[in-house]
Amino acid sequence: MNLSAQEQERYSRHLALPEIGMEGQQRLRASRVLIVGAGGLGSPAALYLSAAGVGTIGLIDGDTVDLTNLQRQILHTTASVGIKKVDSARECLMALNPNQNLHIYPFRLSSENAGEIVRGYDFVVDATDSFGSKFLISRACHATRKPYSHAGITRFFGQAMTVIPGKTTCCHCIFHEDEAPPEAAPEGPLGAMPGVIGSIQAIETIKVLLAIGTPLYDTLLTCNTLTMEFRRVTVRRDPRCPLCGTL
């Protein structure tokens, strides 16, 4: 899949990186990434993956834009209030990079549709804000053997991890579904917090798609922006995990 002269100019900074170059940029153009959630985490992840030249991006979200979203969800503007988040996101992303295929799903991911949707992509970005959604995504990715990026944020804190189903520690190994706390009213987060973690998710996506660097496999990266401390916590597969356990 050759790049046009305009695309070569657009991605010239990537082409200058030996880890990416022409071959890597062509691979990004041929890649398909699903982003579940067009909110705080999904906004920076979608913007940077679109700008990076990922050829096909799927965006799924059933919510509409609310005024309270605008403090952190940078895909949307004041004019977007009251319209579907995926419609607002499509306008923003196509203005940023018209050389992409953008598939929008104006509904929530569910146990009924997750397998069919996830199967059509190379990588999944979990940009949701509830344990239920995160467990659903991990199950769908495990069933279809699709790598994914897990992330979560609250107040001034965030975390991220990258998973290759059946090969690395998965979300169910760390967070047990039957022990997940009940969903509570949101507290925060700091508006720029999802920008930090969502950007890390975009970087992890690119690393996995291009097989470069060291993704956050078997590693939970945590971030405290009050102290600006990042920690890498080694996590191990649980042999009793309901998804990838061996017992």
Side-chain angles (χ1 to χ4, degrees):
M1 185 179 291
N2 295 326
L3 301 183
S4 68
Q6 183 186 69
E7 288 176 307
Q8 291 183 46
E9 181 178 3
R10 177 185 286 266
Y11 306 121
S12 58
R13 298 302 188 271
H14 272 181
L15 299 181
L17 291 171
E19 294 84 355
I20 300 180
M22 180 64 74
E23 181 179 350
Q25 195 62 49
Q26 290 172 330
R27 187 180 300 179
L28 287 177
R29 187 181 178 194
S31 296
R32 300 172 59 86
V33 174
L34 176 67
I35 302 171
V36 186
L41 292 169
S43 288
L47 284 165
Y48 275 117
L49 291 172
S50 175
V54 171
T56 300
I57 293 177
L59 195 59
I60 182 168
D61 196 307
D63 290 340
T64 58
V65 179
D66 185 83
L67 190 62
T68 61
N69 300 149
L70 303 184
Q71 164 254 13
R72 64 200 178 281
Q73 299 183 17
I74 56 175
L75 270 174
H76 316 297
T77 68
T78 303
S80 305
V81 172
I83 70 174
K84 286 283 190 181
K85 285 186 179 180
V86 289
D87 291 329
S88 172
R90 174 169 53 187
E91 182 177 351
C92 178
L93 295 175
M94 292 306 293
L96 173 63
N97 189 350
N99 301 318
Q100 64 184 323
N101 297 312
L102 187 60
H103 299 160
I104 64 168
Y105 306 90
F107 48 79
R108 293 182 181 277
L109 196 71
S110 69
S111 56
E112 289 75 28
N113 62 33
E116 180 181 356
I117 294 174
V118 167
R119 191 173 290 109
Y121 291 87
D122 304 312
F123 192 92
V124 177
V125 176
D126 173 5
T128 64
D129 59 4
S130 74
F131 279 104
S133 296
K134 294 183 183 303
F135 289 132
L136 171 63
I137 292 167
S138 64
R139 287 195 299 270
C141 288
H142 183 86
T144 56
R145 287 295 188 266
K146 300 295 183 179
Y148 66 98
S149 169
H150 156 82
I153 53 171
T154 182
R155 304 183 72 237
F156 301 91
F157 314 103
Q159 63 186 32
M161 180 175 72
T162 302
V163 179
I164 304 294
K167 295 184 178 180
T168 70
T169 306
C170 78
C171 287
H172 284 255
C173 292
I174 306 172
F175 311 106
H176 297 163
E177 196 162 0
D178 57 355
E179 298 174 1
E183 302 298 340
E187 185 179 9
L190 174 72
M193 189 70 240
V196 175
I197 302 300
S199 296
I200 289 173
Q201 289 188 281
I203 293 171
E204 287 292 292
T205 302
I206 292 170
K207 286 160 60 180
V208 173
L209 292 174
L210 300 185
I212 61 174
T214 306
L216 292 170
Y217 297 148
D218 299 318
T219 302
L220 187 68
L221 180 72
T222 66
C223 171
N224 179 340
T225 57
L226 283 177
T227 60
M228 206 49 74
E229 292 179 293
F230 286 78
R231 293 182 58 212
R232 291 173 57 94
V233 181
T234 299
V235 289
R236 303 196 184 282
R237 291 178 66 183
D238 181 355
R240 302 183 187 277
C241 174
L243 284 187
C244 65
T246 55
L247 296 180

